[in-house]
Amino acid sequence: MIDINLNNNLGACISKGNFVITDTLSEKMDAVKHANGRDWWIVVHDRDNDKFVKFLATPDSIQGPFYQSIGSDYSILFIGAQNIGQMRFSRDGSKLAVVGLNNLIETFDFDRCSGDLSSPKIISYQSLFVTSKDALYGCSFSPSGRFLYVSSFRQLFQFDLLDDDPSITVDTLFIMPSDSFLIGGHQLFLDDKIYIANGTSILPSDGRDTINMNLNVITQPEYEGATCQFKPYSFYLGGHRSVLGLPNLPNYGLGVL
């Protein structure tokens, strides 16, 4: 808890280390504004089951956890890679996409009033599953929510959610040319571009290279196929590097429903 009035209005921490849940969770986490345009739903996923865990952050408290069992069981596929993979809201907060190393792609409708998920839909994905690098990890919606971008550790795909069967619209946009690097997490940013991290295939690693010192960018994510203009290793990190992940940046500008 931060009191912004302290420290000459720079703020100071007045309480920390307060657990809101004690459980075994996956890394899947995202947030979206409540329909009132003020409060926040924080959504995570439990590990090795079909349970979503939700909290409601208000100006006065953090309510929850609220559990909802819906959709698929995101269980362990590889030893040491327990339930990793992204979970992302669409920009308008009406959809949630979840991917996992068990090669599941699943979308849900989300009610910003109640926080309830509904209408789970699996997008069929025929993987050339050879090694762990073919497992799915990253996902993101285009700004309008029409296209869903999904990546394994070495390939990037586009699906058109306007089609009754998005699986038949799959388009492979990119294949990582080096086995030494992996495709990581996605982040739709304010400029309507999608930024995608890279990382080394052996973690932890202090190695620096053209690949992990730059982010990949989908410059026109509302366009179909190659016209979305995917540009690998095109956003320079100023001498720093990514290690698969990017910060969660929810849509702070989402207003009242």
Side-chain angles (χ1 to χ4, degrees):
M1 296 178 63
I2 304 296
D3 186 337
I4 196 62
N5 297 313
L6 299 178
N7 193 21
N8 294 320
N9 294 322
L10 294 176
C13 179
I14 60 174
S15 178
K16 63 181 180 179
N18 304 301
F19 289 97
V20 295
I21 185 174
T22 302
D23 202 339
T24 308
L25 303 174
S26 72
E27 76 166 357
K28 303 179 191 302
M29 178 173 63
D30 206 356
V32 67
K33 275 192 174 180
H34 186 281
N36 62 20
R38 179 199 67 187
D39 303 334
W40 285 89
W41 291 108
I42 299 106
V43 182
V44 296
H45 202 286
D46 213 342
R47 197 172 78 174
D48 302 333
N49 56 44
D50 62 353
K51 291 181 182 178
F52 287 87
V53 189
K54 294 167 283 187
F55 301 89
L56 183 63
T58 73
D60 302 317
S61 65
I62 299 177
Q63 302 173 23
F66 308 109
Y67 288 85
Q68 183 181 1
S69 292
I70 187 172
S72 301
D73 180 346
Y74 292 89
S75 57
I76 299 171
L77 184 62
F78 302 111
I79 297 174
Q82 299 167 330
N83 292 172
I84 69 174
Q86 276 194 301
M87 179 167 71
R88 283 293 193 223
F89 279 106
S90 60
R91 177 171 279 179
D92 67 0
S94 67
K95 297 283 187 181
L96 182 71
V98 186
V99 301
L101 291 191
N102 46 8
N103 272 23
L104 277 171
I105 305 171
E106 198 161 18
T107 61
F108 301 83
D109 292 337
F110 185 75
D111 188 325
R112 289 173 55 203
C113 293
S114 66
D116 289 336
L117 292 153
S118 61
S119 305
K121 184 176 183 179
I122 293 177
I123 299 176
S124 299
Y125 166 71
Q126 297 298 321
S127 168
L128 296 176
F129 199 93
V130 179
T131 72
S132 59
K133 294 178 185 178
D134 296 297
L136 299 179
Y137 180 77
C139 66
S140 56
F141 288 95
S142 66
S144 71
R146 173 181 174 178
F147 292 107
L148 179 65
Y149 293 88
V150 175
S151 59
S152 69
F153 287 123
R154 64 178 175 181
Q155 296 185 75
L156 175 66
F157 310 98
Q158 182 196 69
F159 297 88
D160 189 346
L161 299 182
L162 288 184
D163 197 286
D164 291 336
D165 184 4
S167 62
I168 66 174
T169 70
V170 62
D171 197 332
T172 302
L173 303 176
F174 178 72
I175 300 175
M176 181 66 79
S178 171
D179 286 339
S180 298
F181 292 91
L182 307 174
I183 301 172
H186 300 201
Q187 177 64 59
L188 172 64
F189 197 56
L190 295 174
D191 58 5
D192 291 343
K193 299 177 183 179
I194 296 173
Y195 295 83
I196 302 176
N198 298 300
T200 56
S201 58
I202 300 175
L203 296 174
S205 171
D206 293 326
R208 281 170 165 77
D209 185 272
T210 300
I211 295 179
N212 68 348
M213 292 175 66
N214 291 271
L215 300 180
N216 311 310
V217 186
I218 304 173
T219 60
Q220 298 287 341
E222 293 294 359
Y223 287 77
E224 188 174 2
T227 60
C228 75
Q229 296 184 36
F230 175 75
K231 296 182 179 180
Y233 339 129
S234 59
F235 186 87
Y236 182 54
L237 295 174
H240 303 287
R241 64 194 173 101
S242 62
V243 188
L244 287 181
L246 290 173
N248 273 345
L249 298 175
N251 183 7
Y252 292 100
L254 189 59
V256 175
L257 183 62

